Amino acid sequence: MGGNWIRREKHSCGGFVMAVAAVIFSCILIGVTGQDGQTMTAEEKSKIRDQILEMFDHAYNSYMDYAYPADELMPLSCRGRVRGLEPNRGDIDDSLGKFSLTLIDSLDTLVLLNKLDEFEEAVKKTVQDVRFDNDIVVSVFETNIRVLGGLLGAHVMADVLKQRGERMQWYRDELLHMAKELGYRLLPAFNTTSGLPYPRVNLRYGVVNPLSRTGTESDTCTACAGTMILEFAALSQLSGDPIFEEHARKAMDVLWEKRQRGSDLVGTVINIHNGDWVRRDSGVGAGIDSYYEYLMKAYILLGDKVYLDRFNTHYSAIMKYISQPPLLLNVHMHNPTVNVRSWMDSLLAFFPGLQVLRGDLKPAIETHEMLYQVTKRHNFLPEAFTTEFRVHWGQHPLRPEFAESTYFLYKATGDPYYLKVGQSIVEKLNTHARVPCGFAAVQDVRTGTHEDRMDSFFLAEMFKYLYLLFSEKSQLPINIDDYIFTTEAHLLPVSLSTTQPSCHTNNTEPQAHEDDLFSYSCPSAQTLFPNNPTFAKTIRDSYKYLTGLGRTQQPSPVRGIELPLHDTGLEPVEFLKSMGISLTPLTELVSASLSSASQDSQKGVFKLKLVAEVSQTPEHEEVVPLIVQLISPPFLGRTVLTAGPAKFGMDLTKQEHGVKGSIVKSVPYTACGPIENAVEITGHIALALRGDCMFAAKARRLQEAGATGVIFIDHREGSSSAETPLFQMVGDGEPTDDITVPLVFLFSKEGATLSAALQEHHNVDVLLLPKEKQLGKEKPEKLNIKFRIAKEEFAEGEIESTTIQLVLEQSETDTEGASLTGKNQDTCSSPQKDPESSP
C-alpha cells in the first residue's frame, strides 16, 4: 500500500463504505520479515498444514463417530456428553443445550479447511436433527458466541458456496432461519430494568416463566453482557429485524455508562438490575476480555465510530494501568495503581491479537513472547500462572487464544519466528493432548494428566488459526480479509455494514481522550520500525529468559548473591532448604525504625548470614558422556544419541556391556504421578519427560513400576548436546541409595529422534553405555561455592533468633573459618549438576 499511514475515516451512520472498514485487516498485512535465524520453506509449511488437517479429522471424526448428536465428546470415555446423564460440572455445563453444540461450532471451520463435502453433509445434519425448543437452561453468552455465531458463520459460508454454483444449490437459508429462532429464544434474557441481560435463559420458557428454573440471578460478567453485538447485529442485518442489534447495543451502552470515570476502566461483575459493580477488579482476561474485543470489532463490522472511540478510551486506560510489560495485571477500577492479584489467567492471551488489530505491535510482541516462554516451561498455558510464571491453576482445556495471537502477529510481521511458535503448538497438542478418541484437555500441566473433555471451541477456533497460520491466501476457499472473526472465530463478512445503517440512535458520546498514532490510523511497520527488519526479534530478545524469574524487584539495600541454579526452575528457597539451610523472611527482621515503604521493598527477600568462599576445585569431577544406541532394526547401532549421566542410580561406567532393553513411554509422561502403565513398563527402559518434579522422584516411581532403566528427555524446546554442555542429574536432597536402575538424560533434539523412532517402529531396543573417552581432552575448570554458618551478633535488648544472612565478602589470604563443616555444607558445581523441579 502506498504511504506510511492509512486513515480510518470517521463514519456517520449513513456514509459507511465497506472498503474502509476492511482497511484494518488489509493493513495488518503490511509486514516485514524478522531475522531470528529461523525460516520455513513452502514444503515445510505444507507438511505442517497437512498435519493440522489430519489432527482436525481425528478430532472431528471422533466427535461424529462417538458423540454425535450429543453436545460434546468425552475423549477418554469415547462417548458423548449429554447434559443430565453425566455428573454436573457446574457453570461449565451451561454451554450444553442438547443442540449438537460441537457440530454447529465446527461448521465454518470445515469450509475454511477446504472440507466442502463434509460441510454440506454437516449442514444437512444440522437442519434435519437440531432443535432449539428444549426445556433446558443455558448460558446466554456461550449460546450466543458458539451456537448463534456458528449458525451465522455457516449460513454466510453456505451462501458463498451456493452463489458460486458448485455446491449447496438446495440451500434455502435454513441456517439463517434457525439463527433467527435461537435469537428470539435468547431475547427474554434482556428483560431487565437496566438492559443488561440475565446470564442464563431457558430455551423453551425464557426467564420469568415459573417453569424456567432461572431468572433469580442478579449479576453477570462484563464480557457476558458485552459480547453480543457482533452476532446480534449480524442477525439483524441478515434477517432484517433490528430488535437483536438494539438489545445488544443497549447492553454495550450501559457498560460504557457504568465505567469508572476517573480511570475509564470497568469491573468484572455487574448487577443486571441496578448497574452497580459487584466485582471491581479490572483486567483484560476472564470476565472482561471479549467486551474490549467487541468494541473494536463492532467498529470494523458496523462502521460506527462510537465503538472505536469507546475502545480507544478503554485502551488508553489499559495501557496506563493494567499493562506492565510484558505482564497484564488486574487492578482495582477505582484505585488502578493497586494490583489486586499477583497472577494472570490464560484468557488474556487473546490480547496481543487485539493489539495487532489496533496496530500497537510492540506491546503485542512483548506479551506474546512472555506467554510463549510460559508454554515452553509448562507445555501449555495453565489456566492461571503467577507473575513469576509458576502454575497457579494447572488446568488447560485446549484454549485457542495463544494460537490466535500467534496468527495475528505473523500476519502483521511476516516473521517466520511465529511459524515456529505455531509448529510448537501443533507438536505439543499431538504429544500431550492427543488420545485415541480425539484430544483431551489437560487436567494439570504439572503432571500431564488428562481430563475427559474436548470443548467445542477447540474445533471452532484452534484449527482455524493454526491452518491459517500455515496457509497462503491462494490456498483458502475464501478471501479471509473480507471477514472478521467473532470471539469464537466464526466468520462474519465486513460487507454487512453496507446493507443497512447500523446506528439509528445513539446519544452516548465517549469521554474525550488524547488520541495517539493508532487511534484512527493503521500503522505500517516501516513507519514504526524504520529500516529495521529485525524489530520483532529485538523486542522479543528482552523476554527470552523470563521463566524462572519474577518481576523486576525494586532496588534493595540488601546485597544479594546469585547462585548457579541453572535452568531448573527450582525455587531458590527450596534449593537452599535441600542443602539444609533454613531461611527467615527479612521483613520479620527489619528494624522498627524502617519506613513501611522500605519494608515493602524487602518482601520476598530472605536474610542469610553466610561466608561464601570461592575457590578453585582441586579435584574435578568429570561428566562422563553416555550414549543411547538404537540397536534394533532398522537402526542396527547406526543411530547414537549423546546422553548425560546421573549422580545416583547404576554407574554405567562399571558395566562392561552396558544395559540393554526395549523402550516404553511412561504414562503420565512426566512420571510425576502414579504410573498408569506399569504393566507395559515392567522389564523395559522407561521414557520420561523432564519437568514438574525431581529426577529422583521420577526414578523411584518408574523403578517401583518395574522399569529396568530410565531415559529422561528435556522439555525445553531446541536444546541439544551440540549446543548445551552435558550436566549430571542430582538427587532431591534425600538419600538415593534405593535407586539402582541406570539413568540417562537426553536433550530435546536427541529425545525427539528417539520418540520419533518409537512412534514409527513401536518396538525399539536400545543400549545404554558410556561414550568412548576422548584422550588428551583437558578437563574444564570449575568453581565451588561453599557456605558456612556464622554466629549472629545481637544488640542489647534484641531477641535472639536463628537467622542467617547471605553475604559475599572479599577473602584476604585465609579468613577465619574459611572451611566448611557440618550439615549446611554443600557444593554448587559448575553448570554440570542439575537438580530438577518445575520446568
Side-chain angles (χ1 to χ4, degrees):
M1 293 185 183
N4 289 328
W5 295 84
I6 300 171
R7 295 295 295 178
R8 294 191 198 123
E9 296 179 13
K10 300 185 179 182
H11 310 292
S12 63
C13 294
F16 183 74
V17 179
M18 168 197 165
V20 185
V23 76
I24 300 175
F25 279 102
S26 301
C27 57
I28 67 171
L29 294 173
I30 303 174
V32 298
T33 300
Q35 302 298 317
D36 224 4
Q38 305 186 55
T39 58
M40 188 172 289
T41 66
E43 292 177 338
E44 290 174 322
K45 290 174 65 175
S46 178
K47 183 178 179 180
I48 297 172
R49 190 167 61 252
D50 290 342
Q51 187 178 12
I52 293 166
L53 289 173
E54 186 279 329
M55 292 166 64
F56 174 82
D57 286 342
H58 179 61
Y60 179 75
N61 291 337
S62 292
Y63 166 74
M64 296 304 295
D65 292 343
Y66 302 112
Y68 182 81
D71 283 315
E72 288 182 343
L73 169 68
M74 299 172 65
L76 302 183
S77 305
C78 296
R79 67 173 188 267
R81 183 181 297 281
V82 179
R83 192 166 172 186
L85 300 184
E86 302 294 337
N88 190 296
R89 300 177 300 168
D91 291 347
I92 298 176
D93 282 341
D94 287 344
S95 301
L96 312 180
K98 296 183 179 179
F99 35 39
S100 299
L101 172 64
T102 299
L103 178 66
I104 294 177
D105 221 0
S106 306
L107 290 174
D108 54 1
T109 306
L110 290 167
V111 175
L112 200 60
L113 272 57
N114 274 300
K115 297 184 176 295
L116 304 185
D117 290 336
E118 292 89 338
F119 171 72
E120 188 159 3
E121 181 63 26
V123 172
K124 289 179 179 178
K125 284 183 178 294
T126 301
V127 172
Q128 293 168 4
D129 299 343
V130 175
R131 298 293 179 267
F132 297 126
D133 185 25
N134 302 325
D135 180 11
I136 192 167
V137 176
V138 297
S139 162
V140 175
F141 167 75
E142 297 288 357
T143 304
N144 174 63
I145 65 171
R146 299 201 205 188
V147 187
L148 183 59
L151 291 170
L152 292 172
H155 164 70
V156 170
M157 294 296 102
D159 197 45
V160 168
L161 295 176
K162 181 180 179 181
Q163 289 180 25
R164 292 179 183 175
E166 300 171 0
R167 298 175 182 273
M168 305 296 295
Q169 296 306 301
W170 57 269
Y171 183 67
R172 298 293 184 271
D173 295 344
E174 287 88 347
L175 295 178
L176 178 59
H177 298 320
M178 294 177 68
K180 189 173 181 181
E181 178 195 346
L182 181 60
Y184 282 125
R185 292 183 183 277
L186 295 179
L187 280 181
F190 290 84
N191 187 22
T192 61
T193 54
S194 68
L196 297 171
Y198 281 95
R200 298 175 185 86
V201 67
N202 187 299
L203 289 178
R204 177 176 294 172
Y205 298 112
V207 174
V208 297
N209 190 303
L211 299 176
S212 67
R213 304 189 308 282
T214 188
T216 59
E217 303 93 344
S218 59
D219 308 328
T220 194
C221 72
T222 301
C224 298
T227 312
M228 307 291 293
I229 188 64
L230 291 189
E231 293 83 1
F232 269 42
L235 181 57
S236 285
Q237 303 287 5
L238 291 169
S239 69
D241 190 340
I243 191 172
F244 305 107
E245 182 175 354
E246 289 170 358
H247 280 291
R249 178 183 291 277
K250 172 63 175 174
M252 296 286 270
D253 290 347
V254 174
L255 292 173
W256 171 254
E257 286 290 342
K258 295 298 181 179
R259 76 191 186 283
Q260 211 288 322
R261 299 302 176 101
S263 66
D264 285 321
L265 296 173
V266 293
T268 305
V269 177
I270 192 169
N271 186 290
I272 60 177
H273 301 298
N274 58 28
D276 291 342
W277 291 106
V278 177
R279 281 184 52 190
R280 294 175 173 82
D281 50 314
S282 185
V284 297
I288 302 179
D289 49 1
S290 47
Y291 163 65
Y292 294 134
E293 177 186 5
Y294 271 37
L295 282 173
M296 166 62 91
K297 291 182 176 179
Y299 167 70
I300 298 173
L301 184 69
L302 304 174
D304 189 341
K305 173 183 164 292
V306 167
Y307 292 120
L308 180 61
D309 285 337
R310 291 179 183 179
F311 173 81
N312 283 332
T313 299
H314 284 312
Y315 187 77
S316 296
I318 290 168
M319 298 309 291
K320 182 177 182 180
Y321 300 117
I322 295 170
S323 176
Q324 301 175 37
L327 310 179
L328 293 163
L329 295 176
N330 279 29
V331 298
H332 196 290
M333 61 183 290
H334 294 289
N335 186 10
T337 60
V338 176
N339 294 337
V340 297
R341 64 191 192 197
S342 60
W343 50 270
M344 295 165 279
D345 66 77
S346 64
L347 286 171
L348 61 76
F350 90 100
F351 198 68
L354 186 61
Q355 290 179 306
V356 169
L357 281 184
R358 191 176 188 270
D360 205 355
L361 293 184
K362 183 175 185 294
I365 292 169
E366 291 173 329
T367 298
H368 180 274
E369 182 61 27
M370 177 270 290
L371 296 169
Y372 183 41
Q373 296 301 320
V374 174
T375 67
K376 290 172 74 172
R377 178 172 178 176
H378 300 297
N379 293 321
F380 300 105
L381 282 181
E383 278 291 76
F385 53 94
T386 70
T387 54
E388 294 181 339
F389 315 112
R390 292 191 294 272
V391 175
H392 185 70
W393 297 332
Q395 304 95 323
H396 175 74
L398 308 182
R399 293 200 185 278
E401 285 78 13
F402 179 64
E404 174 186 358
S405 287
T406 303
Y407 163 67
F408 278 112
L409 272 169
Y410 179 65
K411 289 275 283 187
T413 66
D415 192 333
Y417 176 85
Y418 295 108
L419 295 177
K420 296 294 185 179
V421 175
Q423 184 179 18
S424 76
I425 297 173
V426 171
E427 292 172 349
K428 287 173 180 176
L429 286 172
N430 266 326
T431 302
H432 303 290
R434 187 171 182 137
V435 294
C437 293
F439 290 82
V442 179
Q443 192 170 43
D444 194 324
V445 296
R446 291 164 291 198
T447 63
T449 52
H450 287 140
E451 187 176 354
D452 202 4
R453 62 184 285 198
M454 187 180 80
D455 290 83
S456 67
F457 53 67
F458 181 61
L459 288 164
E461 301 183 67
M462 182 69 81
F463 292 107
K464 275 198 189 83
Y465 292 124
L466 290 177
Y467 187 77
L468 285 169
L469 179 61
F470 293 98
S471 298
E472 304 300 329
K473 290 178 65 174
S474 60
Q475 296 166 328
L476 301 175
I478 59 172
N479 183 353
I480 196 64
D481 295 326
D482 289 341
Y483 299 85
I484 188 166
F485 289 109
T486 68
T487 195
E488 190 78 1
H490 293 306
L491 298 167
L492 298 177
V494 293
S495 59
L496 284 180
S497 54
T498 65
T499 59
Q500 291 184 14
S502 63
C503 43
H504 302 290
T505 56
N506 194 327
N507 298 320
T508 306
E509 285 300 321
Q511 189 179 44
H513 68 280
E514 184 177 349
D515 291 343
D516 61 22
L517 290 176
F518 308 120
S519 294
Y520 299 102
S521 301
C522 189
S524 108
Q526 182 61 27
T527 298
L528 289 172
F529 311 100
N531 302 315
N532 183 10
T534 64
F535 73 91
K537 180 180 184 300
T538 303
I539 297 169
R540 287 194 302 266
D541 282 349
S542 301
Y543 302 98
K544 281 288 186 186
Y545 307 105
L546 278 174
T547 50
L549 301 176
R551 294 175 56 204
T552 303
Q553 299 288 337
Q554 295 296 322
S556 167
V558 176
R559 185 179 179 183
I561 177 172
E562 183 175 348
L563 300 176
L565 298 182
H566 325 306
D567 186 28
T568 65
L570 181 61
E571 295 274 6
V573 173
E574 295 301 319
F575 179 74
L576 292 176
K577 284 182 178 178
S578 73
M579 296 165 58
I581 300 174
S582 300
L583 308 176
T584 302
L586 187 64
T587 47
E588 297 178 11
L589 304 174
V590 292
S591 167
S593 63
L594 290 175
S595 67
S596 61
S598 176
Q599 293 191 33
D600 287 342
S601 71
Q602 304 300 328
K603 288 181 180 178
V605 179
F606 292 85
K607 185 176 182 181
L608 299 134
K609 189 155 188 180
L610 299 170
V611 175
E613 177 189 326
V614 181
S615 62
Q616 298 287 334
T617 305
E619 297 180 0
H620 302 291
E621 291 182 328
E622 182 179 5
V623 177
V624 179
L626 305 176
I627 61 171
V628 177
Q629 188 170 18
L630 283 64
I631 58 176
S632 57
F635 307 102
L636 302 176
R638 291 187 293 270
T639 301
V640 179
L641 308 174
T642 301
K647 293 281 289 181
F648 56 100
M650 180 187 294
D651 186 352
L652 285 170
T653 62
K654 298 179 180 178
Q655 304 299 313
E656 184 176 357
H657 303 294
V659 173
K660 174 185 174 183
S662 299
I663 57 175
V664 174
K665 187 175 176 181
S666 170
V667 179
Y669 196 18
T670 58
C672 290
I675 304 303
E676 300 171 14
N677 61 334
V679 174
E680 291 84 357
I681 280 180
T682 300
H684 296 83
I685 295 174
L687 297 186
L689 188 68
R690 177 188 183 190
D692 297 344
C693 61
M694 305 289 278
F695 287 121
K698 299 172 188 283
R700 286 192 183 94
R701 288 193 186 93
L702 292 167
Q703 179 176 280
E704 291 170 2
T708 58
V710 182
I711 300 173
F712 296 108
I713 297 177
D714 197 3
H715 64 306
R716 297 173 302 166
E717 282 188 62
S719 65
S720 70
S721 60
E723 300 174 357
T724 308
L726 292 177
F727 62 83
Q728 297 184 83
M729 297 178 285
V730 300
D732 53 5
E734 300 295 329
T736 54
D737 295 340
D738 58 316
I739 302 174
T740 58
V741 296
L743 311 169
V744 302
F745 179 88
L746 293 177
F747 288 104
S748 65
K749 286 188 177 179
E750 288 82 357
T753 300
L754 186 60
S755 298
L758 180 61
Q759 183 174 356
E760 182 176 357
H761 300 285
H762 305 296
N763 185 21
V764 177
D765 294 338
V766 300
L767 187 63
L768 310 181
L769 70 167
K771 190 174 184 179
E772 183 178 347
K773 294 182 180 179
Q774 300 178 15
L775 298 177
K777 181 181 179 181
E778 295 183 3
K779 299 177 181 179
E781 190 177 79
K782 306 173 187 174
L783 294 177
N784 275 0
I785 298 179
K786 299 182 178 180
F787 301 97
R788 177 179 62 81
I789 302 294
K791 185 176 180 182
E792 173 82 325
E793 296 181 2
F794 295 87
E796 184 176 353
E798 285 188 326
I799 301 175
E800 184 170 346
S801 62
T802 55
T803 63
I804 48 181
Q805 181 179 13
L806 179 62
V807 294
L808 180 62
E809 299 180 357
Q810 185 175 3
S811 176
E812 300 178 5
T813 353
D814 197 13
T815 58
E816 182 182 353
S819 64
L820 294 177
T821 60
K823 174 184 177 182
N824 294 298
Q825 179 173 345
D826 206 327
T827 301
C828 285
S829 300
S830 70
Q832 299 193 354
K833 286 186 183 176
D834 197 347
E836 178 182 11
S837 178
S838 299

